[in-house]
Amino acid sequence: MPSIVPALEWLEGLAWTTAIRESVWGYPMIETAHVASIVAFAGLVIMMDLRLVGLAFTHAPLAQIQRRLFPWQIAGLVPSTATGLLLCCIDPMRYYGNVFFRVKLALLALAGLNAVVFHLKTYRRAERWDEDPQATATARLAGVVSLLLWSGTIVSGRLIAYNWFA
Amino acid sequence: MKTKILLVLLAAGALWSVQPAQAHHAFAAEYDEKKPVTLTGIVTKMQWVNPHGWIYMDVKQPDGKVKHWTIETSGPSQLSRRGLKKADFTDGMSAVVKGYQGVKDPALANGRTLVLADGRSFYVGSVGGPNDGADR
Amino acid sequence: MFLPFFEWCDGLAISQAYRQSLYLFALTQSLHLVAVTTFFGAILIGDLRLLGWGPVAQSRAGIARSAQSVLLWAGLAVLVTGIPQFTTHALTYQRSPIFVFKMCLLAAALAFTATLRRRVAAADEGRLPSWVPRAVGAVSLALWMGVTISGRLITFYG
């Protein structure tokens, strides 16, 4: 399989990525925006997951919480992803070699997959979530998995800063 | 009940606020504050980058051999604030760096003070290092 | 300011332990981040509702009540994971102007959340002119986002 390293090195050598990498304001702004938008996005995901597992907002029908939070979650996901991609472009070789970054990507993919599966499987039968014990059980499992995967993504993201395995 | 809520919120907030969200991956995880080093040598390269800068230095040992050190500094934001510029670094220049040796890697150091050939001294450490007064 | 308190924090046994430990700090910091995210999520869902967005089928009071228990539990987790991180680096923060700014912002956010925001969120629907909860939601969001952002900037600008 051809290596992506040459492509990453090319990215790293570009004038604009180098400029941001060496910047006094640019990099801090992008990284801060990344963290802030993730906190907002993941915060809402966690709220919905707490409802899914029945720990909070239980007075509200599950379908309503899911439907009403979803657009805001997407609103948080867009800047999170955009800033994340930007950060990858700015310092590609650093992240490529970082084990925690790779773990984060894997967990992120799984979290996204879990969300898509949940969305496709249950969204249409959303009204039944609260009456049907089977649906509730599925929702509960999806919530637990989601909480674990997103927490894992956040934790591994934080650990990128540590060069233990460099 | 109201007071309890207020107190918990207060305390939680107080601690949340000082949490160096990313203001540091622990110094102790990588560097040993019991192993201070003073490195006098030639800067072969300086990476003036975020989130941390890196100074590569060749230091002559007492036995004559040359040791290649990798020294971590803070990023361009903090270095600029202290008065340093990217142009202050040229490959092949001599300098003195005071810092702390790595826990696992003996050729790694966390830089605290940089003294250039012209005598100017700068704090180059990151937030969260040992309280040795270098940042004053 | 308050130097003796910061020096006392710096000298605590737990600060020492965290300074020596390889993994303890990283683990605590990671858990702290999850707790902070949960805390902010609970603030955000409440503020969205105040602004007239998000879970509008539920009453402001209903959302606020549920969010409050999450806030308290997440707040407790923030506290427990936050204390050792603060004391370990207390003297560094004591010298940071951005830290001082964040503390002020935080005090304002806490006071605002515990008083005005609570009362407005708990008020019966229709009792307040519609601009009031919207303004409160906007101010709350601005304050808490400000706390998050300024906290992050301490790394870069001291």
Side-chain angles (χ1 to χ4, degrees):
Chain A
M1 203 181 115
S3 169
I4 59 166
V5 173
L8 297 182
E9 285 175 336
W10 170 79
L11 256 179
E12 194 183 53
L14 291 172
W16 70 268
T17 59
T18 304
I20 300 176
R21 205 164 52 240
E22 300 181 354
S23 64
V24 171
W25 290 104
Y27 181 91
M29 293 300 121
I30 296 170
E31 217 225 29
T32 302
H34 188 62
V35 172
S37 49
I38 285 173
V39 168
F41 162 72
L44 289 182
V45 169
I46 291 174
M47 290 308 107
M48 197 189 71
D49 289 343
L50 288 176
R51 175 59 185 90
L52 277 170
V53 301
L55 280 176
F57 307 104
T58 47
H59 65 286
L62 184 50
Q64 271 177 27
I65 291 285
Q66 148 68 16
R67 283 217 180 95
R68 297 301 307 184
L69 283 185
F70 185 69
W72 295 100
Q73 291 164 346
I74 298 299
L77 186 60
V78 170
S80 303
T81 311
T83 50
L85 284 171
L86 203 51
L87 286 169
C88 284
C89 290
I90 291 164
D91 213 345
M93 291 307 293
R94 173 181 172 227
Y95 297 115
Y96 177 73
N98 189 295
V99 68
F100 291 117
F101 177 71
R102 295 187 182 205
V103 169
K104 174 178 170 166
L105 281 190
L107 290 174
L108 188 56
L110 288 172
L113 189 66
N114 178 57
V116 167
V117 166
F118 172 66
H119 213 79
L120 293 175
K121 269 180 77 175
T122 46
Y123 209 51
R124 258 171 273 117
R125 284 167 271 133
E127 276 63 41
R128 280 212 269 126
W129 282 342
D130 294 296
E131 295 101 53
D132 179 359
Q134 175 76 301
T136 312
T138 312
R140 194 156 285 164
L141 179 64
V144 170
V145 171
S146 177
L147 279 168
L148 288 172
L149 288 175
W150 286 112
S151 299
T153 308
I154 289 171
V155 169
S156 50
R158 174 73 273 255
L159 294 176
I160 289 172
Y162 291 83
N163 300 313
W164 292 331
F165 306 105
Chain B
M1 188 56 194
K2 249 191 193 171
T3 328
K4 259 197 275 173
I5 293 171
L6 190 63
L7 284 172
V8 175
L9 272 180
L10 203 71
L15 296 167
W16 177 19
S17 82
V18 304
Q19 188 345 310
Q22 265 58 300
H24 256 61
H25 54 108
F27 179 91
E30 285 160 86
Y31 305 101
D32 192 341
E33 67 175 20
K34 293 203 201 70
K35 293 204 198 136
V37 289
T38 300
L39 308 171
T40 309
I42 306 289
V43 173
T44 53
K45 191 163 121 167
M46 199 280 175
Q47 283 182 309
W48 178 269
V49 292
N50 279 291
H52 288 281
W54 296 95
I55 298 176
Y56 298 90
M57 205 175 205
D58 282 348
V59 179
K60 204 173 264 175
Q61 310 276 84
D63 62 4
K65 287 208 207 106
V66 172
K67 186 170 174 185
H68 307 292
W69 283 86
T70 303
I71 302 155
E72 181 181 321
T73 71
S74 52
S77 318
Q78 296 108 307
L79 294 178
S80 312
R81 255 188 342 111
R82 296 280 176 168
L84 267 172
K85 293 186 298 292
K86 187 179 175 193
D88 284 321
F89 295 90
T90 44
D91 294 354
M93 72 179 205
S94 39
V96 178
V97 173
K98 293 200 193 103
Y100 297 89
Q101 199 174 25
V103 169
K104 291 196 185 127
D105 183 354
L108 178 70
N110 185 286
R112 301 284 290 173
T113 311
L114 166 73
V115 186
L116 297 176
D118 60 13
R120 288 184 299 151
S121 175
F122 302 91
Y123 173 66
V124 297
S126 316
V127 176
N131 184 42
D132 58 5
D135 55 341
R136 257 179 279 250
Chain C
M1 214 174 108
F2 303 121
L3 184 60
F5 167 69
F6 288 89
E7 284 175 333
W8 174 76
C9 287
D10 184 76
L12 290 170
I14 195 170
S15 302
Q16 263 305 97
Y18 269 75
R19 272 193 287 270
Q20 316 294 22
S21 149
L22 217 54
Y23 305 108
L24 203 52
F25 196 91
L27 178 68
T28 309
Q29 193 175 48
S30 303
L31 291 175
H32 190 81
L33 195 46
V34 177
V36 163
T37 306
T38 307
F39 187 92
F40 194 84
I43 290 280
L44 187 52
I45 196 173
D47 286 347
L48 281 174
R49 183 59 191 85
L50 283 169
L51 284 162
W53 300 327
V56 293
Q58 278 66 53
S59 68
R60 285 192 297 264
I63 291 292
R65 246 193 320 267
S66 257
Q68 184 168 275
S69 54
V70 178
L71 269 176
L72 291 175
W73 282 108
L76 190 64
V78 164
L79 197 98
V80 165
T81 54
I83 289 175
Q85 292 183 88
F86 167 64
T87 59
T88 307
H89 295 134
L91 288 172
T92 310
Y93 301 131
Q94 196 265 341
R95 287 191 286 272
S96 158
I98 299 186
F99 165 74
V100 173
F101 173 73
K102 184 178 179 173
M103 284 307 288
C104 296
L105 209 52
L106 171 77
L110 279 171
F112 187 76
T113 304
T115 57
L116 194 59
R117 185 180 182 270
R118 260 188 98 209
R119 246 174 264 143
V120 168
D124 294 328
E125 306 291 313
R127 253 201 40 189
L128 298 162
S130 62
W131 69 266
V132 173
R134 277 207 287 270
V136 168
V139 170
S140 170
L141 212 50
L143 284 171
W144 286 108
M145 247 311 163
V147 173
T148 308
I149 289 172
S150 56
R152 195 64 199 89
L153 295 181
I154 293 173
T155 320
F156 294 108
Y157 303 107

